[in-house]
Amino acid sequence: MDNLDLKKRELILYWRSAFNFSEDVFLAFVKVPRENFISPELRDLAYNDAPLPTSEHQTISQPTTVMMMLNFLDIRKDSKILEIGCGSGYNAALISVIAEKGRIVTCEIVESLAEKAKKNLVDYKNVEVIYGDGAQIAGEKGPFDRIIFTAAIPKVPEELFGLLNDGGIILAPVGELYLQEMTRVKKIGVKAGEGFTTEELGEFVFVPMRGEWGFK
Ligand code: SAH
């Protein structure tokens, strides 16, 4: 077993002892090689529990954070999912494995990152990568069962409530520029505009969202 495999196993053992992640989420982590989504010179760090740089001052999130978010998102096998903030494509690959019968739209506002993510995700057939601002793409491609933000936003955009199917979930780091609360909004299936619950799931720090819904 090489060093990467050992470190990957160590992470899994740590999560098994400290977190109650679902088996689907564990299985996706086992299947998707994080080392394929980072630059080759960082390969040895692929399974350190740390964020890593992509390009353009953006990051691929820390594995524990990624796993917590996937668990919070409660993805079904047939979910239709929007990810805002594709970055390297790693998170989209994990989602693609969990929602094996679903569809994933993931968007990225930095063109060079979107192009790289398209290549990284070529074998994940249920994923569509789109270059552009998530604020536009959400309206064009919705409605969705799940919407996940991997960049920080000042508030959950109201336009999204109408783009969520009954039983749907929005998950986003919401708050100030340098500290956010992981926020989960659930639509509980009555008339649109009513029947939403909001939960706060702990403090995190994410890169800021740009574009229409970002920080002014
Ligand atoms: N999910 C990624 C990590 C994302 S980091 C991964 O697994 O690698 C957040 C990303 O959101 C950055 O790449 C940033 O460029 C992107 N982003 C910021 N604002 C955006 C917007 N308005 N629309 C789409 N992507 C955006």
Side-chain angles (χ1 to χ4, degrees):
M1 197 180 286
D2 77 9
N3 196 31
L4 277 191
D5 283 340
L6 270 176
K7 283 171 104 177
K8 191 165 182 172
R9 277 174 61 125
E10 270 170 28
L11 269 182
I12 294 170
L13 289 176
Y14 158 59
W15 290 328
R16 289 230 180 259
S17 69
F19 296 90
N20 200 13
F21 298 144
S22 77
E23 287 308 312
D24 284 359
V25 171
F26 273 116
L27 203 63
F29 178 76
V30 169
K31 280 190 180 165
V32 177
R34 190 170 187 252
E35 60 274 28
N36 292 0
F37 292 82
I38 58 180
S39 53
E41 59 278 18
L42 298 175
R43 188 181 156 87
D44 289 348
L45 306 178
Y47 294 102
N48 285 22
D49 197 15
L52 293 172
T54 50
S55 47
E56 316 268 346
H57 308 293
Q58 300 302 318
T59 54
I60 165 169
S61 305
Q62 176 181 356
T64 295
T65 302
V66 173
M67 293 288 279
M68 289 176 81
M69 287 186 82
L70 292 176
N71 208 61
F72 290 146
L73 200 58
D74 192 19
I75 298 164
R76 303 295 150 89
K77 291 215 180 318
D78 61 352
S79 295
K80 182 174 173 195
I81 300 164
L82 173 67
E83 179 189 41
I84 298 178
C86 179
S88 66
Y90 176 63
N91 192 45
L94 294 166
I95 294 173
S96 150
V97 171
I98 301 170
E100 59 185 5
K101 299 197 173 78
R103 289 211 43 76
I104 297 96
V105 174
T106 177
C107 52
E108 173 53 58
I109 204 165
V110 176
E111 189 170 14
S112 60
L113 287 177
E115 289 312 315
K116 211 183 272 177
K118 275 182 197 167
K119 294 193 184 114
N120 289 343
L121 288 163
V122 70
D123 292 331
Y124 297 83
K125 302 291 180 205
N126 56 350
V127 181
E128 181 185 6
V129 180
I130 304 178
Y131 157 56
D133 185 345
Q136 258 89 58
I137 289 152
E140 289 164 16
K141 294 283 177 174
F144 300 96
D145 302 307
R146 301 287 184 270
I147 299 173
I148 176 173
F149 285 78
T150 64
I153 47 173
K155 72 182 202 37
V156 178
E158 277 170 23
E159 303 94 296
L160 283 185
F161 296 138
L163 293 173
L164 206 55
N165 291 329
D166 285 352
I169 294 175
I170 301 170
L171 183 70
V174 181
E176 310 292 324
L177 206 46
Y178 296 107
L179 185 66
Q180 302 95 37
E181 187 71 42
M182 190 58 69
T183 304
R184 178 166 63 186
V185 176
K186 281 189 189 166
K187 181 171 181 177
I188 42 188
V190 277
K191 276 185 293 168
E194 299 169 0
F196 290 92
T197 61
T198 303
E199 295 161 276
E200 295 188 340
L201 303 167
E203 288 179 340
F204 292 82
V205 182
F206 280 75
V207 296
M209 172 103 171
R210 306 185 194 173
E212 197 180 320
W213 292 336
F215 293 86
K216 300 298 171 223

